């Protein structure tokens, strides 16, 4: 039986080709995340090295290269095809690529900025990963992440919510932080998407490879939704967390 992470890798391999044209939500969140980064940074010149966890097709790096004068960018993604597509899109001597599960990455201390847009929730244990990153970061380094939180999809009936993975609570991340060593800012923004029915929403997730479930589901439960014709608004509550390590 394939592990959860193998399913994630395989699914995003399949969704890679259509990802850019079907990921408006991820792009909107990326722009919001970058705006937060620019607002909170005291001096952009302090950023020389960047690590991106779950780099996808490389869209965020193209924006980083426009906004910052970085000397080293290292992209990590579990999907081989996502990395291959990134390499075709980005031709810059400061950018390196690695197909790797970020749960197994170790060298967080080597980077001035660690960045992850809508990816960190694919961790086997997202709070453990977050804690490990924060502990490993060097003094004056930054971490900025976005993820769908536990308040997402509350407008949906329970039988539909039960078909969607559970997402972490923002407060659980904040509880991990030692405020004497870390300065941070967090915010939550609702991003709504409209679909002709709930089944079309699930199809959209599948198209981009984001339909991997860590729940036991019956195929009949999903395909039974084909009969539903009611329009649906999917409400994503997205957490944005920015932090700086003040001292080791």
């Amino acid at each position: 039986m394939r592990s959860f992470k193998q399913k994630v890798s395989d699914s995003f391999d399949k969704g890679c080709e259509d990802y850019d044209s079907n990921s408006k939500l991820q792009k909107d969140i990326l722009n919001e995340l970058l705006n937060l980064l620019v607002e909170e940074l005291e001096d952009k010149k302090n950023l020389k090295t960047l690590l991106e966890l779950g780099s996808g097709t490389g869209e965020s790096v193209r924006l980083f290269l426009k906004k910052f004068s970085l000397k080293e960018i290292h992209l990590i993604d579990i999907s081989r095809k996502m990395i291959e597509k990134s390499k075709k899109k980005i031709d810059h001597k400061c950018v390196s690529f690695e197909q790797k599960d970020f749960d197994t990455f170790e060298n967080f201390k080597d980077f001035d900025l660690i960045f992850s847009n809508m990816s960190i929730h694919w961790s086997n244990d997202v709070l453990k990963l977050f804690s490990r990153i924060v502990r490993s970061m060097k003094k004056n380094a930054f971490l900025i992440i976005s993820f769908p939180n536990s308040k997402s999809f509350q407008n949906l009936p329970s039988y539909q919510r039960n078909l969607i993975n559970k997402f972490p609570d923002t407060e659980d991340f904040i509880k991990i932080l030692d405020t004497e060593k870390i300065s941070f800012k967090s915010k939550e923004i609702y991003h709504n998407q409209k679909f002709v029915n709930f089944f079309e929403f699930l199809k959209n997730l599948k198209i981009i490879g984001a339909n991997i479930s860590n729940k036991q589901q019956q195929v009949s439960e999903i395909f039974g939704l084909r009969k539903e014709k009611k329009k649906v608004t999917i409400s994503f509550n997205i957490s944005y967390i920015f932090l700086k390590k003040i001292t080791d």
Side-chain angles (χ1 to χ4, degrees):
M1 180 180 293
R2 291 182 302 161
S3 68
F4 174 66
K5 280 305 185 73
Q6 187 60 56
K7 292 178 183 177
V8 172
S9 177
D10 292 345
S11 189
F12 280 107
D13 275 353
K14 292 176 182 177
C16 178
E17 193 61 34
D18 295 315
Y19 189 88
D20 286 342
S21 57
N22 291 277
S23 55
K24 182 181 182 302
L25 173 67
Q26 287 79 1
K27 291 173 184 176
D28 289 344
I29 295 169
L30 170 61
N31 287 325
E32 191 72 40
L33 197 60
L34 287 174
N35 288 338
L36 175 61
L37 176 60
V38 171
E39 288 172 7
E40 295 299 319
L41 276 180
E42 298 169 0
D43 188 352
K44 292 195 294 185
K45 294 179 181 178
N46 291 333
L47 293 186
K48 299 300 181 184
T49 56
L50 164 68
L51 170 68
E52 183 172 6
L53 306 176
S55 54
T57 63
E59 281 298 304
S60 55
V61 170
R62 297 207 296 186
L63 294 178
F64 269 110
L65 289 170
K66 292 178 181 178
K67 291 178 179 289
F68 301 96
S69 299
L70 292 157
K71 293 184 177 180
E72 179 186 348
I73 298 174
H74 190 55
L75 304 185
I76 289 177
D77 200 281
I78 198 170
S79 164
R80 175 180 59 82
K81 290 190 177 180
M82 287 287 192
I83 290 294
E84 289 175 355
K85 189 167 186 176
S86 296
K87 289 179 178 180
K88 293 177 181 177
K89 289 168 65 174
I90 302 166
D91 183 16
H92 199 288
K93 62 182 180 181
C94 78
V95 182
S96 58
F97 307 84
E98 183 177 8
Q99 181 194 356
K100 192 176 184 68
D101 177 359
F102 51 52
D103 276 332
T104 66
F105 191 79
E106 298 289 342
N107 300 325
F108 299 111
K109 66 182 183 300
D110 295 340
F111 298 91
D112 301 322
L113 172 63
I114 301 166
F115 177 86
S116 184
N117 179 45
M118 293 293 283
S119 295
I120 198 169
H121 56 282
W122 293 115
S123 169
N124 278 328
D125 188 333
V126 64
L127 293 177
K128 181 178 179 180
L129 173 62
F130 179 75
S131 178
R132 191 162 60 84
I133 293 170
V134 173
R135 290 198 314 269
S136 302
M137 290 167 59
K138 63 184 178 181
K139 181 179 177 181
N140 294 322
F142 301 92
L143 170 67
I144 184 164
I145 59 176
S146 65
F147 57 90
N149 66 44
S150 57
K151 297 176 185 176
S152 297
F153 317 120
Q154 293 302 309
N155 62 318
L156 298 176
S158 59
Y159 74 92
Q160 292 179 348
R161 290 201 308 273
N162 289 339
L163 294 173
I164 305 172
N165 287 349
K166 290 184 178 181
F167 294 103
D169 190 322
T170 309
E171 290 301 314
D172 290 336
F173 285 79
I174 295 173
K175 290 175 184 176
I176 291 173
L177 300 177
D178 182 343
T179 54
E180 293 185 0
K181 295 182 177 181
I182 300 291
S183 66
F184 73 94
K185 179 177 181 179
S186 67
K187 64 179 182 178
E188 299 180 0
I189 300 177
Y190 277 99
H191 297 260
N192 294 325
Q193 284 190 309
K194 296 182 182 296
F195 294 88
V196 296
N197 55 47
F198 187 71
F199 188 74
E200 287 299 313
F201 162 62
L202 296 180
K203 281 177 62 178
N204 180 260
L205 291 181
K206 184 175 182 178
I207 287 170
I208 64 174
N211 64 317
I212 314 95
S213 175
N214 53 16
K215 299 179 179 180
Q216 292 295 323
Q217 296 176 347
Q218 298 295 325
V219 174
S220 58
E221 289 181 307
I222 297 175
F223 281 90
L225 296 170
R226 286 178 178 271
K227 299 176 183 178
E228 296 190 5
K229 303 299 180 183
K230 185 178 179 180
K231 293 181 180 179
V232 62
T233 297
I234 304 298
S235 186
F236 294 84
N237 190 315
I238 305 300
S239 290
Y240 299 83
I241 295 179
F242 171 90
L243 63 84
K244 177 181 180 180
K245 192 161 190 181
I246 302 170
T247 183
D248 293 325

